Amino acid sequence: MNATIEKFGWPGTLVREWDHWVLLARPSQPTLGSVILAAKGEATAFGALPAGAHAELATITPALEGALSRAVDYGRINYLMLMMVDPYVHFHVIPRYEGTREWNGREFVDIGWPKVPDLGHAIALEGEELAGLVEWLKGFFPAGS
């Protein structure tokens, strides 16, 4: 795995894996259910990914959006490809919603709703709590998705 994937806690944050991509629970949660969708290779530009990685997104995105919809009942979803600090191809996938969502005794507010997500306002999860979020998210993916 590349350094970007490792920075976001792989393998401990792994929710799902496909041939070309991994889905990681984002340790810093600006909204409940925020994840990282990261390409496995060494590409540092979206256009440099192999054709198979692009094609695989056609099956990943419906599975991901369905899972996050079941998990947090989002109103919109944002795919942010920032890649300023972490150079390998990855998206910050942020489910957006009005109001709050609760999980594990914590309240998650989408501070930026309905505008740009506020990534600086996030709940940092670690240890058992982060592991719990990973397991919780895995439960929203049907087998084979």
Side-chain angles (χ1 to χ4, degrees):
M1 296 294 167
N2 63 48
T4 296
I5 291 170
E6 290 174 351
K7 179 183 176 186
F8 285 106
W10 177 88
T13 57
L14 182 66
V15 175
R16 285 283 282 116
E17 183 172 359
W18 295 271
D19 291 339
H20 298 277
W21 298 88
V22 293
L23 184 69
L24 309 171
R26 195 174 188 277
S28 179
Q29 295 276 297
T31 63
L32 182 59
S34 294
V35 293
I36 302 293
L37 180 61
K40 290 182 180 178
E42 299 293 318
T44 57
F46 191 49
L49 290 174
H54 288 284
E56 197 171 44
L57 287 173
T59 58
I60 291 171
T61 53
L64 173 56
E65 291 172 8
L68 291 178
S69 179
R70 289 186 293 279
V72 299
D73 190 28
Y74 66 81
R76 299 268 189 240
I77 193 163
N78 293 163
Y79 289 83
L80 308 174
M81 185 178 276
L82 303 173
M83 295 171 31
M84 297 299 292
V85 174
D86 305 304
Y88 298 104
V89 174
H90 68 287
F91 295 93
H92 296 258
V93 183
I94 313 295
R96 307 297 310 281
Y97 47 79
E98 187 172 8
T100 63
R101 301 296 185 269
E102 291 186 26
W103 175 81
N104 202 34
R106 289 195 182 224
E107 190 172 83
F108 295 79
V109 180
D110 185 347
I111 296 296
W113 180 268
K115 299 184 189 235
V116 177
D118 184 348
L119 300 180
H121 177 86
I123 295 175
L125 303 177
E126 56 188 358
E128 290 182 17
E129 194 169 35
L130 181 56
L133 180 72
V134 169
E135 291 306 311
W136 181 73
L137 288 170
K138 283 180 180 180
F140 292 100
F141 284 89
S145 66

